[in-house]
Amino acid sequence: MLDREEGRHTPYMVQPEYRIYEMNKRLQARSEDSDNLWWDAFATEFFEDDATLTLSFCLEDGPKRYTIGRTLIPRYFSTVFEGGVTDLYYILKHSKESYHNSSITVDCDQCTMVTQHGKPMFTKVCTEGRLILEFTFDDLMRIKTWHFTIRQYRELVPRSILAMHAQDPQVLEQLSKNITRMGLTNFTLNYLRLCVILEPMQELMSRHKTYNLSPRDCLKTCLFQKWQRMVAPPAEPTRQPTTKRRKRKNSTSSTSNSSAGNNANSTNSKKKSAAANLSLSSQVPELGALQSCSLNPGRDGALCHSTAVTPTGQFKEKH
C-alpha cells in the first residue's frame, strides 16, 4: 500500500484488522519453494523486533501455554504448512479496538483459524478461540503481542469423500479419526515443546553469532554476567545536599562553646590513643577465612578458593 505522490507506505491508522487481511494474502502467496528467508521477511513485515506469540489450549493431560519470541515466530508458521496444511487464514468477527498512546489493542472473542489439509486426507479444520493483538501505533503498525486462546475445533470432511468410500469400513474408520489436536498438527505441537528449550537459549545463540565464541565460552560469559547482576548491590538513590544556614552567636556563648569543644576533643583524642595502643591480635586472636569466588575453574575444576588471614597479618591461600 504505497502513496502515489511520495512512493512510501501510508499509515495504517483506520482499521487494524486490515493488517490481518494483508497477512492472510501474504500466506496465500506462499509457495512450496518458500525458504527461511521468505519466512523471515514475512515475520519482519508483520511482527515487531521484540514481538511475542502465545498459544493457550487444553490437551488430554491438562492446560498448555507456550510463548515464543520474535526469532522463533517464522519457524512456527512454517511448521503449520509442514504438517500437511495447504492454506491458512484467520477470520475475525465482532472485534473490539482500543487505542492507547503508543499501541492499538484488538480483542476478538470470535476468531477462527482455518487450515486446509491435503494430507493425510482432505480435511478442513476450523479452530475457534479468542485472539488478542497489540499493534504499534505507527506507520508500519506491526504486531507486538499475539495471544490466541483456543476453545474448540472442528474437522470437516467433504461428503463426496465419504460417498466414495462408503463400502470400505477401514477407510471410514480412518476418516473418523482426528488428524489434529485442538486444531494443531503434530509438527506444530512438537515445535512448541522444543521452543521451551530453545527460548532460554536465545541469549547464547545471539552471543555466539555476534562474538563468534564457542558454546562453552558463551555459557561462561552469560553465567558470569548473571552472577554479577545477582551480587551487585542495588543502586542507592542520589540524595541532594542540604544547605545549612549559619547562626550568629553571642560572645559569651561562643567562649563557653569553645571551651566545651576543647574538653570534648581532648577526651576523644585520649580514647583514640588508648584504642590505638591495643593490638589487633589481642582483640581477635583468630580471624575467619575470607571467601572469594571466581568463575574461572582451577586445576581441580573448583570454582571457589579461600584466603585465610593469620594473626601476624600474612595471607595464606587454601585451594
Side-chain angles (χ1 to χ4, degrees):
M1 187 175 181
L2 298 176
D3 194 346
R4 294 182 179 179
E5 296 180 357
E6 300 182 4
R8 59 179 177 83
H9 287 277
T10 56
Y12 298 96
M13 300 300 179
V14 182
Q15 292 291 336
E17 291 185 16
Y18 187 72
R19 291 293 286 163
I20 303 300
Y21 171 74
E22 288 186 335
M23 189 179 70
N24 292 335
K25 290 182 60 178
R26 187 57 51 89
L27 290 174
Q28 291 176 359
R30 180 203 66 90
S31 63
E32 296 295 337
D33 299 332
S34 298
D35 53 0
N36 295 332
L37 295 177
W38 190 93
W39 287 111
D40 288 337
F42 165 80
T44 303
E45 182 179 358
F46 295 99
F47 290 89
E48 285 287 332
D49 296 337
D50 57 344
T52 58
L53 187 146
T54 304
L55 292 176
S56 302
F57 49 89
C58 188
L59 294 179
E60 296 83 1
D61 54 347
K64 305 294 180 180
R65 180 187 175 96
Y66 298 98
T67 300
I68 60 177
R70 166 63 181 81
T71 55
L72 301 177
I73 290 178
R75 182 61 178 162
Y76 161 74
F77 282 95
S78 65
T79 56
V80 176
F81 292 91
E82 291 176 1
V85 175
T86 58
D87 194 8
L88 166 66
Y89 57 92
Y90 293 86
I91 301 175
L92 276 65
K93 294 182 180 180
H94 308 293
S95 60
K96 298 178 181 180
E97 302 173 1
S98 58
Y99 293 82
H100 308 281
N101 293 330
S102 60
S103 63
I104 305 175
T105 303
V106 177
D107 189 351
C108 182
D109 193 59
Q110 300 181 16
C111 175
T112 304
M113 180 183 70
V114 181
T115 54
Q116 191 70 52
H117 295 251
K119 56 181 182 180
M121 62 192 69
F122 189 80
T123 309
K124 182 178 180 180
V125 181
C126 300
T127 307
E128 301 174 356
R130 180 182 182 183
L131 179 62
I132 301 176
L133 302 175
E134 182 183 357
F135 293 88
T136 54
F137 199 8
D138 56 6
D139 294 347
L140 299 178
M141 194 175 283
R142 297 189 297 182
I143 300 173
K144 191 173 183 179
T145 58
W146 172 299
H147 190 180
F148 187 35
T149 304
I150 301 175
R151 287 193 297 261
Q152 60 182 358
Y153 72 104
R154 295 173 296 161
E155 296 186 1
L156 308 177
V157 180
R159 288 185 176 181
S160 58
I161 298 181
L162 296 177
M164 290 172 55
H165 303 281
Q167 305 298 329
D168 194 344
Q170 296 181 355
V171 177
L172 291 177
E173 183 180 359
Q174 185 179 1
L175 291 173
S176 63
K177 296 180 180 179
N178 294 333
I179 62 175
T180 64
R181 299 177 63 187
M182 292 302 294
L184 303 175
T185 61
N186 290 330
F187 279 83
T188 303
L189 289 175
N190 292 333
Y191 177 71
L192 292 175
R193 297 189 187 100
L194 184 63
C195 287
V196 177
I197 304 174
L198 293 178
E199 188 65 32
M201 296 178 62
Q202 292 303 307
E203 184 178 358
L204 297 177
M205 294 179 181
S206 62
R207 190 175 297 275
H208 171 71
K209 186 176 181 181
T210 304
Y211 301 103
N212 196 17
L213 298 174
S214 63
R216 185 179 295 273
D217 293 336
C218 292
L219 181 60
K220 288 181 180 179
T221 307
C222 293
L223 289 177
F224 181 71
Q225 290 182 355
K226 289 186 177 181
W227 175 78
Q228 282 183 330
R229 289 194 294 266
M230 290 174 60
V231 300
E236 296 181 356
T238 57
R239 298 178 180 178
Q240 296 181 356
T242 58
T243 58
K244 297 182 179 180
R245 295 182 180 179
R246 295 181 179 178
K247 296 181 180 180
R248 294 182 180 179
K249 298 181 180 179
N250 297 328
S251 60
T252 57
S253 62
S254 63
T255 54
S256 62
N257 290 335
S258 62
S259 61
N262 292 330
N263 294 331
N265 291 331
S266 62
T267 56
N268 291 333
S269 61
K270 291 180 180 179
K271 291 181 180 180
K272 290 181 180 178
S273 61
N277 292 329
L278 295 176
S279 62
L280 183 62
S281 61
S282 62
Q283 291 286 335
V284 184
E286 294 181 0
L287 297 178
L290 302 177
Q291 296 290 336
S292 61
C293 293
S294 173
L295 287 180
N296 295 323
R299 295 179 179 178
D300 55 350
L303 296 181
C304 295
H305 67 276
S306 62
T307 304
V309 183
T310 61
T312 59
Q314 297 179 354
F315 291 91
K316 183 178 181 182
E317 294 187 356
K318 296 179 179 180
H319 293 279

